[in-house]
Amino acid sequence: MPELPEVESVRLGLERHLRGRVVQRVEVLDPRPLRRQAGGEQAFVKELTGRTITGAARRGKLMWLPLDDGRALRAHLGMSGQLLVRGTAAQAQPDPAVLGQSGPDLTATQAPTLVRDLSTRPRHLRVRLHLAHQDGDEPTGAALDLVDQRMFGGLLVDDLVPTADGLPGGRGEQRALIPASATHVARDLLDPHLDQEQASARLRASGRGVKTLLLDQGIVSGVGNIYADEGLWAACLHGRRRGKALGRAAVARLLEETAAVMRRALAVGGTSFDALYVNADGAPGFFARSLAVYGRAGQDCRRCGSTLRSEVVGGRSHVFCPQCQTRPRG
């Protein structure tokens, strides 16, 4: 599942392409991604048609597009969702952050298994938002597509409600607002308004394994299996160590290292293992070449040379170095 760096890469592209764009028409080819929409497909179409997209925001792995009526189009990419922009004038002025990233992903640890369908009607196209024409758009028109093979993602027109702490909702949203269906999602490690002391205290108060705690989106959001393993390796902590067994300095180091690895990943567009994980322009991320442990079980540790191992922690795979990340007893 895309994690914070991958979702932020998508958000940046959506903001560049869609700010100020009017949704002229909504085309639903498969209603299943709208399963959480009150009123179903008809309500979704009615509430989006004619609305202006005023920006693009994110908290953790969750994105939303604020609308001019005070509501928002909330999006979750799930396992395979893609939000792809077609035909806008902004595509003639590519983002410098993604220059050179078009084409197949040659940096992943596995060969690509899914490729973007560049036809006007991709095989897994579920919803298309047709955008009102602007100068510079392609003659065939501009659109935002939801393409989703495995159907775990979805779209929802949602109310915006005040944040519990009275601070900005997330990256790209300076107002103290967040979608009503996302109030349970904690701030993420790259959010300047995250209460580090509170997050640290919650980690240290729990008897659960620290990897499981990192994946808990109610404590800190945006971290998934990839960056949990990478952060734990960087902090020299095994994922089975209980939160309550860690000192203040160890937890602070873990949060700092996990945030640092996500910043490095974001700088190169995130981690793409195949053409499934792409930004709004269809470009993959290039962090796979820099992964220290994730997906590298059986290979040498980049720090000490020991053979990396893998085990299951809280139902999720955990790759670690037995020398650098001492496994707790019991």
Side-chain angles (χ1 to χ4, degrees), residues 218-262:
I219 298 177
V220 289
S221 64
V223 183
N225 221 31
I226 296 174
Y227 300 108
D229 276 2
E230 293 296 305
L232 287 163
W233 179 84
C236 296
L237 292 171
H238 192 283
R240 285 193 183 276
R241 290 200 172 274
R242 296 185 179 187
K244 65 182 182 182
L246 298 177
R248 186 185 299 272
V251 171
R253 183 174 73 250
L254 173 61
L255 296 180
E256 290 168 3
E257 293 289 359
T258 305
V261 74
M262 288 196 293

Side-chain angles (χ1 to χ4, degrees), residues 2-15:
E3 302 179 30
L4 186 155
E6 294 77 51
V7 177
E8 176 64 8
S9 295
V10 174
R11 187 198 71 80
L12 289 168
L14 294 180
E15 185 173 56

Side-chain angles (χ1 to χ4, degrees), residues 58-70:
R58 177 195 57 75
R59 177 183 288 199
K61 307 174 189 178
L62 179 75
M63 281 187 299
W64 65 96
L65 302 177
L67 304 172
D68 62 343
D69 65 349

Side-chain angles (χ1 to χ4, degrees), residues 2-329:
E3 302 179 30
L4 186 155
E6 294 77 51
V7 177
E8 176 64 8
S9 295
V10 174
R11 187 198 71 80
L12 289 168
L14 294 180
E15 185 173 56
R16 180 167 59 90
H17 287 292
L18 300 180
R19 181 183 290 275
R21 300 298 302 242
V22 176
V23 180
Q24 184 176 55
R25 182 166 63 91
V26 179
E27 187 178 5
V28 179
L29 293 92
D30 190 322
R32 286 178 289 176
L34 310 179
R35 55 190 173 273
R36 296 184 179 87
Q37 177 67 58
E41 176 183 345
Q42 289 185 343
F44 181 82
V45 172
K46 180 180 179 180
E47 293 177 18
L48 270 183
T49 303
R51 298 269 63 89
T52 299
I53 298 169
T54 61
R58 177 195 57 75
R59 177 183 288 199
K61 307 174 189 178
L62 179 75
M63 281 187 299
W64 65 96
L65 302 177
L67 304 172
D68 62 343
D69 65 349
R71 307 189 79 196
L73 174 60
R74 201 198 99 169
H76 196 291
L77 300 180
M79 293 293 293
S80 60
Q82 298 175 328
L83 288 173
L84 302 172
V85 179
R86 294 173 176 274
T88 69
Q91 288 181 319
Q93 302 172 355
D95 188 336
V98 298
L99 285 175
Q101 295 184 21
S102 60
D105 176 21
L106 302 179
T107 66
T109 57
Q110 303 177 36
T113 57
L114 297 168
V115 296
R116 179 181 176 186
D117 183 350
L118 296 178
S119 67
T120 57
R121 290 280 174 171
R123 178 180 177 186
H124 302 294
L125 176 63
R126 309 301 182 184
V127 179
R128 172 168 285 176
L129 307 186
H130 295 268
L131 306 175
H133 182 77
Q134 287 188 358
D135 290 344
D137 287 351
E138 293 182 3
T140 52
L144 171 65
D145 290 348
L146 172 66
V147 177
D148 194 351
Q149 177 177 345
R150 299 174 189 167
M151 301 293 286
F152 292 116
L155 299 174
L156 166 71
V157 178
D158 201 2
D159 292 326
L160 290 173
V161 299
T163 56
D165 55 13
L167 296 171
R171 183 73 65 178
E173 177 55 271
Q174 293 305 309
R175 299 171 299 174
L177 296 173
I178 191 170
S181 57
T183 55
H184 63 287
V185 178
R187 293 189 179 276
D188 59 67
L189 290 176
L190 301 190
D191 189 330
H193 302 292
L194 172 67
D195 187 332
Q196 294 275 354
E197 288 296 322
Q198 183 184 69
S200 177
R202 293 190 64 185
L203 284 167
R204 295 182 63 218
S206 176
R208 291 183 291 166
V210 69
K211 172 159 184 176
T212 302
L213 293 171
L214 276 179
L215 298 177
D216 187 336
Q217 304 300 295
I219 298 177
V220 289
S221 64
V223 183
N225 221 31
I226 296 174
Y227 300 108
D229 276 2
E230 293 296 305
L232 287 163
W233 179 84
C236 296
L237 292 171
H238 192 283
R240 285 193 183 276
R241 290 200 172 274
R242 296 185 179 187
K244 65 182 182 182
L246 298 177
R248 186 185 299 272
V251 171
R253 183 174 73 250
L254 173 61
L255 296 180
E256 290 168 3
E257 293 289 359
T258 305
V261 74
M262 288 196 293
R263 289 190 187 95
R264 294 196 298 273
L266 177 58
V268 293
T271 302
S272 298
F273 287 106
D274 52 38
L276 188 66
Y277 301 123
V278 296
N279 64 17
D281 294 289
F286 282 76
F287 196 65
R289 66 174 64 172
S290 302
L291 292 172
V293 286
Y294 184 84
R296 298 189 64 243
Q299 300 181 45
D300 293 344
C301 173
R302 300 190 191 278
R303 186 161 47 209
C304 73
S306 298
T307 301
L308 299 176
R309 298 179 185 175
S310 178
E311 63 178 72
V312 176
V313 175
R316 306 293 294 276
S317 65
H318 175 44
V319 181
F320 65 99
C321 172
Q323 183 67 31
C324 299
Q325 299 165 268
T326 307
R327 194 179 190 279
R329 297 178 180 178

